[in-house]
Amino acid sequence: MWSGASSPTVAELVRAVATRLDDADIDSPRADARWLVGHALGLSAAGMVRDATRRVDADAVAELAALVDRRAAREPLQLILGDVAFRGHRITVRPGVFIPRPETELLVEHALGHLHDDGVVVEPCAGTGAVACAIAVERPAVTTVAVEIEPAAADLARHNAASLGASVDVRTGHLMEPVPGALRGAVDVIVANPPYLTAAEWTTLPPEVVDWDPRVALVAGPTGHEVSDALIAAATSWLGPGGWLVLELDEHRVDETVGRSRDAGLVDVTALRDLTGRPRFVEARRR
């Protein structure tokens, strides 16, 4: 990665790493290079600018090179760094657990818009617990339940809740099955980013997804609607009167999900767009 005779500066390392990642067909080589250099050297974004001309010793360069090799092999940047920022909260990520994406921050925003301070929210398909943890931190009086079918992911969600001081009841199981029966008909918001792809669609995704994100978190079944349909059906009995279902979906399935929600008897069904203008979310209310 660095072939110069002298110790490189921070700025020279960023350029060298960006070139290596560009050669490896990484989509954002310059941004990833800055993250990796900053992580290896313990520098913040401001520190990267302040110390741009600082010389870096051989041991630090070797440590950085190992990280760059991982990224060039298409390991997700988030796993290399070990955590992600989600609505300003640090969420630990691990291999085998779906990595929360920035667009899912809007899912939290939509859910919060329907929650009173003393409300009840359930997040099926919780993964790292990022959504449930964000809600619990930002609305600490809300009763927050997270459900995750994979034990390793449920354990990570518990870890994230504990590290953030978030009061989240994390349960292991399928969708709404582990939720306390006393909450049936009393939930204010069901919020989820469920699996919504077919197996064929999953195979077309980049290596960062196919090789690292768990298939169960992405593939719903032959149509991609299987899990969202189950949540729509569950909403009709688990939500209290006037309660809301809020889903993040594939843009190509939003319109059909709107129709399926109406067919199930939900009202005020609305498709919402993400920050790029694509249809991405569906919210619907129980009468």
Side-chain angles (χ1 to χ4, degrees), residues 258-282:
V258 166
R260 289 169 183 254
S261 299
R262 289 174 177 153
D263 291 344
L266 300 177
V267 298
D268 295 336
V269 186
T270 306
L272 302 169
R273 297 182 180 274
D274 64 16
L275 295 177
T276 68
R278 298 176 301 172
R280 189 74 180 180
F281 309 96
V282 173

Side-chain angles (χ1 to χ4, degrees), residues 190 228-247 257-270 282-287:
I190 296 173
S228 57
D229 280 350
L231 291 173
I232 291 168
T236 62
S237 61
W238 281 95
L239 289 175
W244 287 87
L245 173 67
V246 185
L247 301 175
T257 302
V258 166
R260 289 169 183 254
S261 299
R262 289 174 177 153
D263 291 344
L266 300 177
V267 298
D268 295 336
V269 186
T270 306
V282 173
E283 59 179 27
R285 183 175 63 85
R286 184 181 181 185
R287 291 184 187 276

Side-chain angles (χ1 to χ4, degrees), residues 195-228:
Y196 48 64
L197 298 178
T198 66
E201 290 169 327
W202 177 71
T203 62
T204 67
L205 297 175
E208 286 89 343
V209 178
V210 175
D211 295 341
W212 293 93
D213 277 327
R215 188 178 186 274
V216 69
L218 293 160
V219 176
T223 70
H225 286 282
E226 286 77 8
V227 180
S228 57

Side-chain angles (χ1 to χ4, degrees), residues 15-26:
R15 289 193 292 271
V17 172
T19 298
R20 169 77 190 287
L21 297 182
D22 190 40
D23 291 342
D25 293 326
I26 301 300

